Amino acid sequence: DQWYGTRAAMWVRLRHIETRQTVFFVNHHGPLPVDSGGLCGGEATAYNLLKLIAGEARRGDVIVLVGDFNAGPNTQTVRSLHSHLFPVFTGNSFGGVDHVLSSCPTVSATRNLGDGGSDHDALEVVFQL
């Protein structure tokens, strides 16, 4: 059994010094088994992430959602999130379970930095704020 308890998302609001743009940054570690969406399914996982963002972000914030979603690009979790956020970049490990999504479509660079000592890809994304 791959039940490791309830999964969480950590968030922070940051302000860019030069542009004064605020970023609402969320890091999520998704439920197991991979591609299942956990006990409640992928749509519920996406709903809970979007509910967190709606409840804590403020009007005008740029939303950046990242993490090991334990869900590939064609899963219900990721497809549901793509209805509300732009797919920015996806890693290669475990069939592409590491994602960067955002409300900001203006990206100047993306790069897969490799495993960096982890079993997942380190992803780099540069946004234009």
Side-chain angles (χ1 to χ4, degrees), residues 5-86:
T6 303
R7 295 302 176 116
M10 286 80 40
W11 61 269
V12 64
R13 292 184 76 240
L14 305 163
R15 180 166 292 142
H16 190 280
I17 292 172
E18 293 175 12
T19 66
R20 308 292 294 160
Q21 176 64 58
T22 300
V23 174
F24 184 80
F25 185 90
V26 183
N27 183 22
H28 168 61
H29 191 187
L32 292 168
V34 170
D35 294 338
S36 72
L39 291 176
C40 297
E43 193 169 349
T45 298
Y47 171 80
N48 286 328
L49 287 166
L50 293 168
K51 182 178 163 186
L52 167 75
I53 292 167
E56 301 297 340
R58 297 189 185 143
R59 183 176 297 247
D61 287 358
V62 169
I63 309 302
V64 178
L65 173 60
V66 305
D68 168 8
F69 287 69
N70 280 318
N74 295 314
T75 60
Q76 185 64 50
T77 301
V78 175
R79 285 194 321 265
S80 294
L81 290 168
H82 287 176
S83 297
H84 303 276
L85 297 167
F86 294 102

